[in-house]
Amino acid sequence: MKKITLFLAAVAFGAAIAGAQNRKTSGNPVFEGWYADPEAIVYGHECWIFPTYSDYYELQDHFDAFSSKDLVNWEKHPSVLKKEDISWAEKAMWAPSVIHANGKYYFFFGANDIQSNEETGGIGVAVADRPEGPYKDALGKPLIGKIINGAQPIDQFVFHDDDGTYYMYYGGWGHCNMVKLSDDLLSIVPFEDGQTYKSVTPEGYVEGPFMLKKDGKYYFMWSEGGWTGPDYRVAYAISDSPFGPFKRIATILEQDPSIANGAGHHSVIRDKAGDYYIVYHRRPNGDTHGNHRHTCIDKLEFDGNGYIKPVKITVEGVAKTKF
């Protein structure tokens, strides 16, 4: 009986693997589990997603990662960074931003959900030799640990401009700051005008900034609304400069009541063919648990004038592609 049971289990596992490999589209969500704030990036010929583990703050104490060569089949890399690796982190480890530079992989994150400048927490950075880690705390303290210009130090995004400069956009509580990073990405350096923190908050901004450069233009995107509500959404602006001004143009991602609600906090990737994809989280209809969010992928398209078309959120997801 035991041999029969093991044989049937092996057959079921093989069928599951074959089914995953034979899928034509990713499906949404693209992988199991409650994951939010997905940071997607292409390393070589693979797409990596580094999301927030979406649970109660006290349990948001680690980060898992997921990798795929085609956006359909995903491999999970558990606990690439965890609370025990960061001496000052206690809870609410949120919204990674990752980048490859100087032969290393840099993992920026928010921790502790500080509410005042008397608390320890903010934006930290860890470094590894591989995308899957292990990541080690690079500073032993937050890179940004104070509330400046009204911006809670969370939801950072690191942007590498064409001239080699690294900028970081970050901030919650309806305020967005911009800073310039040193070449080793481990400190903040002044801008040419002597400022260190520039406020670049556009109309409607709440959190979750993201920058994309396309055809010489800077596409600045952000999340609006309440993160636990159906009005969560993504809007954008276009500028000739990474400093803005960023004048709101339109909403590009929002709920479809027939599919899911609370679609927001995104990132954008591009495949080998030059097509763009938006990676975001959303909530199942009828689910009222604040942290029940899962990661999805849909196409991001531009019209003939360079404006972003409204995204159609889907159950099917996207077709296989290459990087």
Side-chain angles (χ1 to χ4, degrees), residues 172-247:
W173 295 352
H175 296 276
C176 184
N177 285 337
M178 175 187 184
V179 297
K180 181 180 178 181
L181 296 175
S182 59
D183 290 340
D184 66 2
L185 277 68
L186 299 181
S187 63
I188 296 168
V189 297
F191 296 103
E192 290 186 0
D193 63 5
Q195 280 188 286
T196 304
Y197 293 84
K198 288 182 180 289
S199 176
V200 293
T201 309
E203 175 192 359
Y205 176 91
V206 172
E207 60 192 17
F210 185 87
M211 177 65 81
L212 169 70
K213 192 172 186 181
K214 179 181 182 294
D215 300 329
K217 299 289 186 180
Y218 294 85
Y219 289 75
F220 186 58
M221 312 174 203
W222 62 91
S223 290
E224 302 178 341
W227 71 272
T228 60
D231 63 337
Y232 206 51
R233 59 191 180 272
V234 173
Y236 83 113
I238 303 175
S239 178
D240 294 323
S241 166
F243 305 103
F246 300 119
K247 181 174 176 57

Side-chain angles (χ1 to χ4, degrees), residues 285-307:
N285 279 335
D287 193 326
T288 59
H289 192 295
N291 286 299
H292 281 182
R293 300 169 288 176
H294 48 214
T295 295
C296 301
I297 303 178
D298 281 304
K299 294 293 291 290
L300 183 75
E301 298 178 317
F302 299 81
D303 68 18
N305 295 315
Y307 293 106

Side-chain angles (χ1 to χ4, degrees), residues 62-298:
H62 70 282
F63 294 102
D64 299 327
F66 300 83
S67 62
S68 174
K69 292 181 172 64
D70 60 10
L71 297 186
V72 173
N73 300 290
W74 293 89
E75 179 181 356
K76 181 177 180 179
H77 307 270
S79 296
V80 298
L81 180 68
K82 52 190 182 300
K83 181 179 69 175
E84 289 75 16
D85 302 322
I86 308 298
S87 60
W88 51 271
E90 297 177 358
K91 63 177 183 179
M93 298 179 74
W94 289 343
S97 179
V98 296
I99 196 163
H100 182 245
N102 307 317
K104 301 284 186 179
Y105 294 88
Y106 294 78
F107 190 114
F108 295 82
F109 60 93
N112 295 357
D113 187 29
I114 64 169
Q115 304 294 305
S116 73
N117 286 338
E118 283 65 55
E119 300 175 63
T120 298
I123 296 170
V125 55
V127 182
D129 294 321
R130 301 177 300 173
E132 66 271 30
Y135 287 88
K136 300 299 180 184
D137 189 359
L139 300 175
K141 62 181 181 179
L143 173 66
I144 301 176
K146 300 294 183 183
I147 298 163
I148 298 168
N149 296 330
Q152 188 188 29
I154 61 169
D155 288 6
Q156 65 295 318
F157 176 71
V158 177
F159 171 66
H160 189 202
D161 207 350
D162 296 338
D163 65 359
T165 306
Y166 291 93
Y167 299 112
M168 178 189 287
Y169 301 87
Y170 78 90
W173 295 352
H175 296 276
C176 184
N177 285 337
M178 175 187 184
V179 297
K180 181 180 178 181
L181 296 175
S182 59
D183 290 340
D184 66 2
L185 277 68
L186 299 181
S187 63
I188 296 168
V189 297
F191 296 103
E192 290 186 0
D193 63 5
Q195 280 188 286
T196 304
Y197 293 84
K198 288 182 180 289
S199 176
V200 293
T201 309
E203 175 192 359
Y205 176 91
V206 172
E207 60 192 17
F210 185 87
M211 177 65 81
L212 169 70
K213 192 172 186 181
K214 179 181 182 294
D215 300 329
K217 299 289 186 180
Y218 294 85
Y219 289 75
F220 186 58
M221 312 174 203
W222 62 91
S223 290
E224 302 178 341
W227 71 272
T228 60
D231 63 337
Y232 206 51
R233 59 191 180 272
V234 173
Y236 83 113
I238 303 175
S239 178
D240 294 323
S241 166
F243 305 103
F246 300 119
K247 181 174 176 57
R248 189 186 192 281
I249 294 175
T251 299
I252 57 170
L253 176 73
E254 60 186 332
Q255 70 168 358
D256 178 340
S258 68
I259 296 176
N261 66 75
H265 204 129
H266 76 300
S267 52
V268 176
I269 53 171
R270 189 182 185 190
D271 69 8
K272 190 175 182 179
D275 293 324
Y276 290 87
Y277 301 83
I278 188 167
V279 185
Y280 63 98
H281 75 239
R282 69 192 194 200
R283 302 175 182 281
N285 279 335
D287 193 326
T288 59
H289 192 295
N291 286 299
H292 281 182
R293 300 169 288 176
H294 48 214
T295 295
C296 301
I297 303 178
D298 281 304

Side-chain angles (χ1 to χ4, degrees), residues 4-40:
I4 294 175
T5 301
L6 291 173
F7 172 76
L8 292 175
V11 169
F13 178 75
I17 295 296
Q21 292 174 340
N22 291 330
R23 283 193 313 226
K24 301 299 182 183
T25 64
S26 63
N28 278 325
V30 294
F31 39 75
E32 293 183 359
W34 300 120
Y35 292 98
D37 316 326
E39 168 84 351

